[in-house]
Amino acid sequence: MLKIYNTLTRKKELFQPRVAGKVGLYVCGMTVYDYCHIGHARVMVVFDTVARYFRHQGYELTYVRNITDIDDKIIQRAIENGEDYGTLTERFIDAMHEDERALAVLPPDLEPRATQSIDAIIAMIKTLVAKDLAYVGSNGDVFYAVNQFKGYGQLSGKNLDDLQAGERVGVDMAKRNPMDFVLWKMAKANEPAWESPWGLGRPGWHIECSAMSTCCLGNHFDIHGGGMDLQFPHHENEIAQSEGATGEKFVNVWMHNGFVRVDDEKMSKSLGNFFTVREVLQRYRPEAIRFFILSSHYRSPLNYSDEQLNDAEAALTRLYRALNEVKSVFNETVDESYITRFKQAMDDDFNTRVALSVLFGLAKELNKIKEADPHKACALAATLKYLGGLLGILQNDPESHLKTGIVSQSTSEFTKWLIHDDEQFKKDIEKQIEERRNAKKAKDWARADWIRNSLKDSGVILEDAPDGTTSWRIPTRMEVDPYGK
RNA sequence: GGCUGCGUAGCAAAAUGGUUAUGCAGUGGCCUGCAAAGCCAUCUACGGCGGUUCGAUUCCGCCCGCAGCCUCCA
């Protein structure tokens, strides 16, 4: 029985799809004028995990995540760069898809773009004007008349009197009420513009999502998600627009993920304290980023730091180590109790942290019986990999996970990936292992230890198995550089 | 000022009205030529003050501290 925390009611509720077996999910995506940062990555990973779980539970899911490809910041950035705004957005859409693939985020079913939804947007604004919920301001822009919509503030728990509009930002004299927001914006010279009944212009941000979501999922759908900061005014405005225009209930469940923080402050473009996904990927494997995001509850704040990423990598490596050298065969009988506990965790508002702890329980049992009971080990490994897959992790080859890593040369800033496929590198290590084996045979411990230490200095750790064989691995960052430089 | 939410051991992070979270780090042991990994054991907790209760980290109130929203933001 899946329970989801609904921002609208501020309670965990039993999830009941509108239509049995089907789920419509809409998530506010990126405004594409720059690279995705870790905060964006969190939205992608969180809702990807939600989507994977719905599918796994047998729901027929339609997952929609929009792209805002026209807005003030895009126009401004394009001007700064001296390029066409479309070229700019295409570039960052491609980059976003790249980041997404790196983080094992499966593409949404539909990815509508604002610029391709202009007709639907105009149609909705027309309806709102006809219903007197919108008006043309003195500057020609079309505004939503917030006073005309009864439940305004229901999602954010705000009321119009308390909002004290204009306190922080100069009131636009073209509006009737300071809280009114723009639906259609008149174009200035040389700005991208579309024909409309109100003249050449472009859509406001809020109306895009109302139009795109109802277009893709219908007037009334199951779940709408996005970052916490979109609760107000963005999602509040969406409710006003959609319910105002259609007269129907818009969304049953509102899901909001918490922020990524840096030094206890929200990571954001405006504060400039952001790390882009591609920046972090220079230093950490993508799976560590995904693990890091999943290691806290999606509604909690998540503090970004090297230490946290190091931790995530170490934890992930523990799981891969358990998996290593066990053939996981899927048709083995699996221990249902782990699967049950995993599902209980996920059913409780997608508690990925608890779900992960189930994986560690599995890993521990697996480590214990690896030698003694290979058959059961296979079953446990299969279970571990299967549950990891539901979270979008543990799908790599364990050996290549262990033999790949980032080695920091402490004397300089130099860091590099040591790729397991580097044949010369591998050969060299094997040669030294062979040499050490001979030294061990001759009980020349000094020589054997010297080889092991010298390899360690160059970032390779040797492990002797009980049967006399020696394997090697790249240490995690935690082992090399515990304080994260 | 208004409205949300949070405060758990060295770090991170869950659950829970009475019973082991979990990962990393620490300590002791097993294993090992010695290590590493693994296993076993173990030390560090529930911001403060009251209240409800047989019993509260968990419920309620107040206080303190922190974050977010009230402007664009995932």
Side-chain angles (χ1 to χ4, degrees), chain A residues 89-142:
Chain A
T89 55
E90 282 306 324
R91 206 172 62 228
F92 286 115
I93 288 169
D94 288 346
M96 175 181 82
H97 287 148
E98 254 173 52
D99 293 341
E100 210 175 8
R101 283 192 291 274
L103 297 173
V105 169
L106 303 171
D109 299 296
L110 296 167
E111 215 170 25
R113 300 184 187 185
T115 58
Q116 292 166 4
S117 313
I118 301 291
D119 291 348
I121 292 167
I122 290 175
M124 191 174 253
I125 300 175
K126 271 165 130 173
T127 308
L128 290 171
V129 172
K131 286 189 165 186
D132 254 353
L133 287 163
Y135 61 92
V136 178
S138 56
N139 62 353
D141 291 355
V142 182

